[in-house]
Amino acid sequence: MNKPYIYDLSPTELSAWLEEQQEAPYRLRQIRQWLWRGCNSADDMTDLPKGIREKMTESFRFDAMRLKERLQSQEDDTTKYIWQLADGNVIESVFMRYRSGTSVCVSSQAGCKMGCAFCASSMCGFGRNLSSGELIAQVALIAKDQGSRVDHVVVMGIGEPFENYDNLLTFLRSCNDPAGFNISMRRMTVSTCGLIPQMLRFAEEGLPITLAVSLHAANDRLRSQLMPINHAYPLADLMKACRQYEKTSGRRITFEYALFKGLNDRTEDAEQLAAMLRGSLCHVNLIPANEVPGSDLHRSEPGAVENFARILQSRKIPVTVRRELGTDIMAACGQLRRMSTP
Ligand code: SAH
């Protein structure tokens, strides 16, 4: 009963299977087209002969990711998808519409081990890495459900993507495949809490994907309190790795900085951040923190957010404030979780 999930098969594996079944090689292209269209049953692959469809149903699993729930925001054009995986794990992804196009935020793990104090994803523990197929299927099934092209992919859902490096890369390359989703790598973003070895490895891949690094504090005392990973990779080392990343990849890093009331949103915090980032090829994305049940951290006042942004601007650091989408369905940054619905 341990059939492989059809979305997990690489083109090479699928070709080998077709050959074994003495089927024509061109069937590969047809099958992959169906997968990109979010097909989750061999019976629906109507341009394939019945014989192949039956063999596929026998050999592969098609329903390893089932839609458990779909929540539509009443405030904006955001939809949260809750998926039930074959082993009982539950994950979430989010579909958003911007003026610049549509975007899917995918989860990379069921749960998270990073333990950030402000993030719901850490609160339900860690299950496992998602397979490349489970990553790809999040995009394919959402595109199908929305009847829409996906223009952007952000790996900012549940989990730490760099803990699942190989599947992440298979996924990103698959999204880029011109025969499939054909999403430009320039429209992909991977967000990390700052795993230095993987950041440097990622720089070497030479892909024009945006790297986002979650900072949230500009001194070790506060960052360690918010993000335990800071004990392993403290700020001086992280900043050195970021400079190295910028040099190797020639690309600017996006620094994510969630603003918590009275904790990291004061004038001196902004000045400390500006000093730390001086001379770096970067962009700062401020996220007015989203409230998460079980955490006693609160969102900054709008005035504090404005003040923070103004200070960075005055130091010539490019800064944007992230629009909050989907807060009513717990679909905003830091609100996705492994097990239950809101
Ligand atoms: N593990 C990756 C992806 C996490 S989610 C990472 O750490 O970057 C994407 C962003 O949302 C991260 O910057 C994360 O720190 C941020 N985030 C988590 N909880 C949040 C909250 N309650 N409010 C605002 N942003 C939050």
Side-chain angles (χ1 to χ4, degrees):
M1 195 35 220
N2 259 344
K3 294 193 262 185
Y5 184 29
I6 183 80
Y7 279 92
D8 277 326
L9 268 78
S10 68
T12 319
E13 288 166 329
L14 212 43
S15 289
W17 181 82
L18 284 167
E19 201 179 326
E20 239 170 66
Q21 308 297 321
Q22 299 178 327
E23 295 291 351
Y26 72 88
R27 298 291 183 201
L28 174 69
R29 199 177 50 83
Q30 285 178 305
I31 296 171
R32 297 192 80 216
Q33 284 299 342
W34 281 111
L35 295 177
W36 277 311
R37 273 183 253 156
C39 185
N40 51 11
S41 152
D43 290 335
D44 294 342
M45 301 184 173
T46 45
D47 57 358
L48 295 178
K50 196 151 180 267
I52 305 190
R53 288 191 255 158
E54 281 170 3
K55 282 189 277 186
M56 285 180 76
T57 307
E58 260 167 51
S59 307
F60 307 120
R61 207 181 161 131
F62 282 80
D63 64 348
M65 218 173 80
R66 282 193 218 170
L67 182 61
K68 186 166 185 272
E69 224 180 318
R70 184 178 178 283
L71 299 167
Q72 179 62 47
S73 169
Q74 299 307 310
E75 293 166 0
D76 54 61
D77 223 344
T78 299
T79 314
K80 177 157 94 170
Y81 290 84
I82 303 170
W83 309 104
Q84 171 96 51
L85 307 181
D87 63 356
N89 270 299
V90 172
I91 56 151
E92 306 185 338
S93 3
V94 182
F95 176 83
M96 292 158 281
R97 270 177 214 279
Y98 295 94
R99 246 169 310 174
S100 56
T102 59
S103 180
V104 172
C105 173
V106 300
S107 289
S108 55
Q109 299 181 305
C112 189
K113 305 183 208 173
M114 296 297 115
C116 298
F118 46 83
C119 182
S121 300
S122 278
M123 290 168 195
C124 308
F126 176 72
R128 63 170 171 86
N129 277 334
L130 298 188
S131 68
S132 59
E134 287 165 334
L135 279 155
I136 296 164
Q138 290 176 61
V139 178
L141 300 185
I142 290 177
K144 181 184 180 199
D145 185 64
Q146 292 283 339
S148 164
R149 201 194 124 72
V150 173
D151 301 306
H152 302 259
V153 164
V154 298
V155 190
M156 291 193 182
I158 304 164
E160 168 49 48
F162 280 162
E163 285 253 290
N164 190 9
Y165 193 91
D166 293 339
N167 291 339
L168 171 75
L169 274 248
T170 304
F171 164 68
L172 297 169
R173 293 203 163 99
S174 173
C175 286
N176 183 237
D177 192 325
F181 304 134
N182 195 19
I183 303 168
S184 157
M185 288 204 175
R186 294 180 191 282
R187 294 178 169 200
M188 300 182 193
T189 302
V190 173
S191 178
T192 179
C193 62
L195 303 185
I196 292 177
Q198 290 92 322
M199 285 170 59
L200 298 179
R201 188 174 161 197
F202 195 62
E204 299 285 346
E205 308 277 355
L207 306 173
I209 294 173
T210 301
L211 179 66
V213 176
S214 299
L215 270 186
H216 309 323
N219 66 73
D220 281 319
R221 187 193 46 78
L222 184 56
R223 192 164 189 270
S224 296
Q225 187 187 322
L226 292 171
M227 304 176 69
I229 193 67
N230 196 65
H231 294 292
Y233 302 119
L235 278 169
D237 296 349
L238 181 59
M239 284 302 119
K240 211 170 120 205
C242 289
R243 300 244 148 90
Q244 168 86 41
Y245 178 92
E246 290 164 3
K247 217 167 109 201
T248 311
S249 69
R251 299 188 58 78
R252 76 165 64 186
I253 290 181
T254 294
F255 289 108
E256 293 162 287
Y257 193 103
L259 288 162
F260 301 98
K261 191 174 179 173
L263 189 71
N264 65 352
D265 65 349
R266 299 159 309 167
T267 298
E268 52 267 44
D269 298 310
E271 278 165 358
Q272 201 172 32
L273 179 63
M276 190 172 80
L277 298 181
R278 223 177 65 184
S280 131
L281 180 72
C282 70
H283 167 244
V284 172
N285 198 207
L286 298 174
I287 318 172
N290 296 301
E291 311 263 330
V292 165
S295 152
D296 52 6
L297 300 170
H298 297 290
R299 162 183 298 208
S300 297
E301 301 293 342
V305 177
E306 243 171 70
N307 177 54
F308 204 97
R310 211 172 325 106
I311 293 167
L312 294 182
Q313 268 159 358
S314 72
R315 306 291 151 87
K316 305 272 181 294
I317 295 176
V319 55
T320 45
V321 178
R322 190 175 291 179
R323 253 177 80 205
E324 42 178 299
L325 293 175
T327 35
D328 62 327
I329 49 169
M330 295 289 286
C333 301
Q335 296 186 318
L336 302 186
R337 49 207 292 156
R338 175 178 164 217
M339 316 247 214
S340 53
T341 53

